Amino acid sequence: MSDITLDSKSPSGPIQDRWTNHKFSVKLVNPANKRKFDIIVVGTGLAGASAAATLGGLGYNVKAFTFHDTPRRAHSIAAQGGINAAKNYHGDGDSIYRLFYDTVKGGDYRARESNVYRLAQVSVDIIDQCVAQGVPFAREYGGLLDNRSFGGAQVSRTFYAAGQTGQQLLLGAYSALAQQVHKGTVELHTRSEMLDLVVVDGQTAGIVVRDLITGEVTSHSAHAVVLATGGYGNVFYLSTNAMACNVTAAWRAHRRGALFANPCYMQIHPTCIPSSDDFQSKLTLMSESLRNDGRIWVPNNPDDTRGADQIPEGERDYYLERKYPSFGNLVPRDVASRNAKTVVDAGKGIGPLKNGVYLDFSSSLLRLGRDVVKERYDNLFEMYERITGEDPFKTPMRIYPAVHYTMGGLWVDYNLMTNIPGCYSMGEANFSDHGANRLGASALMQGLADGYFVLPYTIGDYLAPQLNQKPVPTDHPAFKAAEAAVRDQNARYLGVKGKYSVDHFHRELGKIMWDYCGMERTEAGLNKALAEIPALYTEFKKDVKVLGDDQSVNQSLERAGRVDDFFQLGYLMCQDALHREESCGGHFRAEHQTDDGEAQRDDENFSYVGAWGFNHAVADGTLHKEPLSFEYCKPSQRSYK
Amino acid sequence: MTATMNRPLGEPGASRPKPVHVSKTINLTLKVWRQKGPKDTGRFETYKAEGISEDMSFLEMLDVINERLLAENKEPITFDHDCREGICGSCSLMINGIPHGPETATATCQLHMRKFHDGQEVVVEPFRATSFPIVKDLMVDRSAFDRIVEAGGYITVFPGSAPDANLIPVPKPVADAAFIAAACIGCGACVAACPNGAANLFTAAKIGHMNLLPQGQAERYARTEAMVDTMEKFFGSCTNHGECQEACPKEISIDYIALMNKDYLRSKLKNRRYLSRKP
């Protein structure tokens, strides 16, 4: 494991030509030969559905797996605000180069320049593709597309469909996938959870899957496996992720040798509804787009008990506008989140638990009128009212940061292939494009870029030389052993017959993670977490209670496996956060900050991707470094002032 | 709450606000449909739901019941759920006979307990429709919806072949109407509410989204026929009760059904030369 050299396969030459040249240099599989290759795609969110549809359309034999009852339930569906593209339809100075620059800077100079430039390049194709397939983006009265602005950018480049952009894009990708399923190029397996990756002679051979209805464990082989299984924010228990989001597919690939890169990079979204009680099962995000028209403030006086409308202008602190006049309320997510934490920690929080800040629409309501505001944010306002019982047209929203997205993930090269030949990773599941902080409206962009426009080109390079080779048969001992291990693991959970539910352990793990590996991290705190997590994990293994059997639907059993993997991943996150002795983007080490409390990077020592290898036990990970170089965007202290 | 849930926690850090706020609680009697699998006949079981906070969502209330059942060594209730933001369409449930419960324009995951009153009896059943067979307890199989979409719910466009997005202007009212239909979350409340178990609102929403847009014109009639014909293979027929639009958490109007019927008729007329042929 120690002799891994990380070759990013990033092309050289002028940055604007790299992707074009690379596409020319990758090997092709001719159209008649494509049907001789089997490809497995795990996950059917934006990245997975778009890739499976495109690969099927190209003529490959595709098997798509989702643990949902239908592909369209994937959590991409919940993305609200929008998708970035360098179309410059607003004539406000946007360009591919500017989107590239904003993304590298927004990621606090911890992303690969070649990847980010490619992302910015294909962003324009994504919008064309989505519009052609019927995604009903918002439009101006002239019939052309509307845009809005998002955090970390000073141009309007975000395409949106009310507050349901993710839904509309996923329905687009799902419809393309459904068409291929109908044609027979894609074989769709729903309610099927991948529980292992099978590697034979150092090459990817296939996966082991459990049918969540019957409990049957089966093997599926292919020439290549693509993991598009999303992020791991649910390690915190409370997050904006859907309840079932998990790290299991990626983690089990990691245990089979795939490196896990930058696990400590996670994003806290600044505008979520504050938690209200211990029974809470998840946190609800309120789109960042609200920061276009909402102003964030807290009362000057921590002991102010008056209602928001009773506090005069002069006694409010619009702290983002005060500290960052040029970006104001539209600073990037990490900056907005940390500032909210600062004011709440200073006792200025609002609401019954004093755990939020105001997001106030009253000046926009005066300026634009109720109808315009309603048109822009109607579904978000309704959702807020349903959850809190308060009407944002009358009283300001209460918001607080919550775990939202994970920039870390499986290490991949420029072709999106992990270090295991034939195993690819896309979308939030990989680590590639966002560095240490993702800008708003860039996750949808990356998922679709990977699925529609990158992987379908790059995968040919790996497949072409294997023409006329059959995939490893599923009766190979490696498959049988992996199947047996999955069955044994489930039998173990059922056999513990302990005292506490899976959710109980998950909640406790989440508390450790949030307290010591959350918005602010310290050496002492991380060491504490590294002691507490294994202790809790041991307790989990001997005291978890899972009833029922593994021959039918058993939601607790499904969760037991996922939480088991979260324990291991959580440990690695803390290790990674401890080793990274700097602050960058979403990773804020209290020991490393500037005089005015901003993240202090250490480019001399930490300008690299930290990719961890798994060795026998969770605590034995080996760190491999992929150095980052910046030829175009020269690293500087990020300033949004 | 059982004692097991109140174990001492890890030392809370400064970043996590400690809940001190106590919300109002209510006591309910739940009658929940329990069914081990497709072959089991199923039955109602009664559970006391005591000390339920009004700030909980309906599904969080079920989470609490499940924790209590587990403590009593009883298998938790199986139900579909995921995003808990009203957008993934996973959650379902007939609550006191109404799909997604009493609140209009609200999926079960966004229904909050403040909409119930102390002492109320709440009957919780799965969505009932022949085409949505029960998998276990409150979980049903809605995959027939996917068959309808697979039959024609798409606009064929291969990545890389699309023209510049602004070459296809769409009048705003048209884009808005398409969007309203496209907001369908595929939860199946329309089918569950329909006395005939018809899926016309779902199918009409999918068809309306694409048939209204200029991009959807090339395949408009083929799409309509294929989807309607597939729908009829699985689901009952529409007799204009209108229950579907009442139940729809996204408030999609049955006007889209009229639009679908119009396109279906038009398609039959256009293609009447095929009418006498066997498929």
Side-chain angles (χ1 to χ4, degrees):
Chain A
M1 195 50 87
S2 54
D3 55 348
I4 295 176
T5 45
L6 294 177
D7 178 6
S8 74
K9 300 203 173 70
S10 285
S12 49
I15 197 151
Q16 64 277 10
D17 300 332
R18 287 180 190 173
W19 176 228
T20 313
N21 293 341
H22 187 74
K23 276 193 286 187
F24 185 72
S25 73
V26 297
K27 298 180 201 80
L28 296 176
V29 178
N30 101 39
N33 282 335
K34 288 201 173 82
R35 76 178 93 92
K36 297 178 184 164
F37 290 103
D38 300 338
I39 301 173
I40 284 172
V41 180
V42 187
T44 57
L46 283 187
S50 59
T54 308
L55 293 167
L58 282 168
Y60 291 111
N61 268 325
V62 180
K63 277 187 182 182
F65 293 83
T66 170
F67 68 165
H68 290 289
D69 64 330
T70 160
R72 67 170 181 270
R73 308 269 191 239
H75 193 53
S76 305
I77 202 136
Q80 296 172 355
I83 177 166
N84 288 328
K87 281 286 198 184
N88 194 30
Y89 279 168
H90 267 220
D92 56 0
D94 199 12
S95 62
I96 287 170
Y97 197 89
R98 188 177 295 282
L99 174 54
F100 156 67
Y101 181 86
D102 286 350
T103 307
V104 173
K105 177 187 171 193
D108 218 356
Y109 306 96
R110 289 292 175 264
R112 232 186 248 150
E113 278 191 332
S114 299
N115 284 56
V116 179
Y117 196 89
R118 173 177 69 189
L119 179 67
Q121 271 176 312
V122 302
S123 71
V124 296
D125 302 326
I126 295 169
I127 300 304
D128 297 343
Q129 167 70 13
C130 294
V131 165
Q133 68 184 191
V135 171
F137 284 122
R139 288 176 184 269
E140 304 278 7
Y141 280 97
L144 302 181
L145 291 156
D146 189 20
N147 293 127
R148 58 187 172 198
S149 50
F150 252 60
Q154 286 176 307
V155 292
S156 289
R157 62 160 76 98
T158 305
F159 294 78
Y160 66 100
Q164 288 151 255
T165 317
Q167 179 199 24
Q168 294 310 315
L169 293 173
L170 183 59
L171 290 177
Y174 160 66
S175 71
L177 174 61
Q179 180 179 20
Q180 296 304 325
V181 171
H182 198 58
K183 280 185 171 172
T185 61
V186 178
E187 188 181 297
L188 178 64
H189 297 256
T190 56
R191 297 215 200 251
S192 302
E193 182 171 24
M194 170 184 156
L195 292 179
D196 211 347
L197 180 78
V198 178
V199 181
V200 175
D201 299 332
Q203 272 192 310
T204 303
I207 60 172
V208 171
V209 168
R210 179 169 178 268
D211 183 318
L212 300 183
I213 302 295
T214 63
E216 194 189 359
V217 175
T218 52
S219 291
H220 301 264
S221 67
H223 294 90
V225 170
V226 182
L227 303 179
T229 48
Y232 48 87
N234 267 350
V235 67
F236 291 88
Y237 186 70
L238 281 183
S239 79
T240 66
N241 285 189
M243 301 299 287
C245 291
N246 67 77
V247 75
T248 289
W251 189 257
R252 302 212 175 164
H254 173 61
R255 291 187 58 119
R256 294 287 179 189
L259 300 183
F260 208 102
N262 300 334
C264 78
Y265 289 168
M266 56 104 180
Q267 177 165 74
I268 309 273
H269 195 290
T271 51
C272 302
I273 301 177
S275 56
S276 64
D277 234 328
D278 251 359
F279 54 75
Q280 190 141 2
S281 59
K282 73 158 281 168
L283 296 170
T284 301
L285 179 133
M286 290 281 108
S287 169
E288 173 161 320
S289 62
L290 293 166
R291 287 198 273 146
N292 271 293
D293 290 307
R295 299 177 68 197
I296 294 174
W297 63 276
V298 289
N300 279 337
N301 176 6
D303 301 320
D304 207 323
T305 51
R306 290 173 291 179
D309 54 339
Q310 302 298 313
I311 302 178
E313 279 294 308
E315 295 176 40
R316 300 174 175 192
D317 182 10
Y318 293 92
Y319 56 89
L320 290 178
E321 295 173 26
R322 171 170 59 76
K323 287 173 72 176
Y324 310 95
S326 59
F327 280 72
N329 292 299
L330 284 175
V331 291
R333 290 175 172 176
D334 53 338
V335 179
S337 296
R338 226 160 26 242
N339 277 280
K341 177 176 158 36
T342 309
V343 294
V344 169
D345 286 353
K348 294 185 181 178
I350 50 88
L353 301 177
K354 286 178 81 64
N355 64 347
V357 298
Y358 285 126
L359 178 62
D360 192 341
F361 294 88
S362 52
S363 47
S364 291
L365 284 164
L366 280 176
R367 181 167 48 91
L368 303 165
R370 187 186 164 98
D371 290 349
V372 174
V373 174
K374 187 172 160 63
E375 161 133 19
R376 285 186 189 164
Y377 307 113
D378 195 22
N379 67 322
L380 299 172
F381 278 33
E382 266 181 35
M383 192 196 290
Y384 182 86
E385 184 173 2
R386 237 173 259 134
I387 291 170
T388 62
E390 297 166 4
D391 179 3
F393 283 110
K394 296 190 185 123
T395 52
M397 285 184 178
R398 292 178 290 113
I399 54 156
Y400 195 66
V403 175
H404 178 53
Y405 186 90
T406 48
M407 281 75 69
L410 293 175
W411 183 89
V412 290
D413 63 16
Y414 189 70
N415 291 327
L416 303 183
M417 189 158 84
T418 66
N419 57 307
I420 304 177
C423 177
Y424 290 77
S425 182
M426 303 187 298
E428 192 178 349
N430 76 24
F431 88 104
S432 73
D433 295 355
H434 307 295
N437 175 52
R438 179 176 64 76
L439 291 182
S442 285
L444 302 183
M445 173 171 70
Q446 188 218 338
L448 290 179
D450 289 357
Y452 281 133
F453 295 107
V454 179
L455 182 109
Y457 290 96
T458 58
I459 202 167
D461 199 48
Y462 171 76
L463 295 174
Q466 302 184 52
L467 185 62
N468 295 326
Q469 287 175 21
K470 292 260 171 273
V472 178
T474 54
D475 55 8
H476 187 281
F479 278 107
K480 291 296 148 202
E483 283 178 23
V486 164
R487 287 190 198 98
D488 288 352
Q489 189 180 32
N490 283 337
R492 257 197 325 276
Y493 298 134
L494 289 165
V496 178
K497 299 185 196 303
K499 284 201 285 294
Y500 304 112
S501 70
V502 176
D503 284 1
H504 164 83
F505 287 103
H506 192 180
R507 213 178 289 124
E508 295 299 303
L509 171 66
K511 283 171 183 163
I512 298 174
M513 293 302 294
W514 180 242
D515 285 348
Y516 305 120
C517 197
M519 240 188 299
E520 187 176 297
R521 297 146 177 192
T522 62
E523 187 184 342
L526 289 165
N527 277 322
K528 202 156 182 197
L530 288 170
E532 285 185 13
I533 294 170
L536 188 65
Y537 188 31
T538 309
E539 235 185 284
F540 167 79
K541 284 191 278 196
K542 65 170 209 269
D543 220 2
V544 72
K545 181 173 186 175
V546 181
L547 300 176
D549 57 47
D550 68 350
Q551 318 288 311
S552 65
V553 180
N554 190 337
Q555 293 174 319
S556 312
L557 184 62
E558 293 164 23
R559 284 202 285 267
R562 295 170 197 160
V563 171
D564 195 326
D565 294 334
F566 276 139
F567 270 110
Q568 304 173 41
L569 165 86
Y571 189 89
L572 186 67
M573 279 179 81
C574 294
Q575 260 186 325
D576 190 43
L578 184 64
H579 113 277
R580 193 165 276 280
E581 287 276 0
E582 64 162 352
S583 295
C584 56
H587 168 63
F588 192 79
R589 282 286 299 271
E591 301 93 335
H592 305 284
Q593 49 184 309
T594 61
D595 292 340
D596 46 0
E598 303 292 341
Q600 177 86 63
R601 281 197 329 268
D602 177 355
D603 290 331
E604 209 161 297
N605 296 306
F606 290 97
S607 186
Y608 60 77
V609 176
W612 295 83
F614 185 87
N615 302 326
H616 312 297
V618 183
D620 285 351
T622 322
L623 180 66
H624 306 272
K625 297 176 184 175
E626 180 203 329
L628 292 168
S629 62
F630 295 90
E631 295 168 57
Y632 292 86
C633 307
K634 289 295 167 206
S636 61
Q637 165 76 36
R638 280 191 311 165
S639 170
Y640 292 96
K641 291 198 163 147
Chain B
M1 181 62 37
T2 55
T4 58
M5 297 304 299
N6 290 326
R7 268 169 83 252
L9 314 174
E11 189 181 314
S15 58
R16 180 160 47 88
K18 298 152 207 72
V20 287
H21 169 65
V22 180
S23 41
K24 246 181 86 182
T25 60
I26 51 174
N27 301 319
L28 303 169
T29 305
L30 298 183
K31 293 204 156 161
V32 182
W33 186 259
R34 301 302 306 262
Q35 183 174 337
K36 282 190 184 331
K39 289 184 186 133
D40 183 20
T41 45
R43 73 217 66 84
F44 280 108
E45 282 182 20
T46 306
Y47 305 114
K48 290 276 170 225
E50 277 160 5
I52 297 299
S53 158
E54 290 196 326
D55 287 340
M56 283 182 194
S57 70
F58 197 85
L59 298 183
E60 284 166 350
M61 184 272 293
L62 288 182
D63 291 341
V64 168
I65 300 303
N66 274 345
E67 287 281 353
R68 293 178 188 175
L69 287 175
L70 190 87
E72 295 166 20
N73 288 322
K74 289 179 186 157
E75 247 196 89
I77 305 159
T78 299
F79 59 95
D80 265 321
H81 64 98
D82 197 27
C83 79
R84 300 204 174 186
E85 294 181 16
I87 194 75
C88 75
S90 298
C91 65
S92 54
L93 309 186
M94 297 296 271
I95 300 168
N96 285 341
I98 306 167
H100 295 300
E103 192 71 358
T104 54
T106 305
T108 298
C109 63
Q110 301 243 284
L111 174 65
H112 279 68
M113 299 314 293
R114 63 181 83 94
K115 305 292 176 186
F116 296 85
H117 59 79
D118 191 37
Q120 195 173 344
E121 180 180 280
V122 181
V123 181
V124 190
E125 295 168 85
F127 277 178
R128 303 272 191 199
T130 313
S131 36
F132 289 167
I134 293 178
V135 177
K136 185 173 184 179
D137 295 341
L138 304 173
M139 178 189 273
V140 298
D141 176 0
R142 289 168 279 187
S143 55
F145 273 4
D146 291 306
R147 304 294 91 77
I148 297 174
V149 174
E150 287 160 11
Y154 46 78
I155 293 168
T156 304
V157 45
F158 203 73
S161 61
D164 184 83
N166 263 349
L167 279 177
I168 316 170
V170 183
K172 187 167 163 44
V174 173
D176 288 349
F179 174 75
I180 289 168
C184 166
I185 57 173
C187 64
C190 48
V191 175
C194 178
N196 307 331
N200 287 53
L201 189 61
F202 169 80
T203 313
K206 296 293 164 199
I207 288 176
H209 160 206
M210 289 176 179
N211 283 10
L212 284 164
L213 291 170
Q215 303 93 299
Q217 296 312 304
E219 293 160 299
R220 179 172 182 170
Y221 297 105
R223 167 187 308 121
T224 309
E225 279 203 47
M227 291 178 76
V228 170
D229 293 347
T230 308
M231 169 187 85
E232 290 185 337
K233 257 188 243 170
F234 291 96
F235 294 91
S237 299
C238 172
T239 47
N240 294 319
H241 283 261
E243 294 290 340
C244 49
Q245 70 176 358
E246 298 304 315
C248 177
K250 297 294 154 187
E251 298 188 293
I252 296 171
S253 156
I254 53 172
D255 288 357
Y256 289 97
I257 298 182
L259 197 70
M260 172 176 80
N261 290 342
K262 186 197 76 177
D263 276 4
Y264 188 75
L265 181 65
R266 205 185 266 180
S267 174
K268 286 290 179 201
L269 290 172
K270 269 176 172 287
N271 296 327
R272 57 183 174 267
R273 64 184 181 283
Y274 299 125
L275 277 180
S276 59
R277 297 186 196 172
K278 285 185 178 151

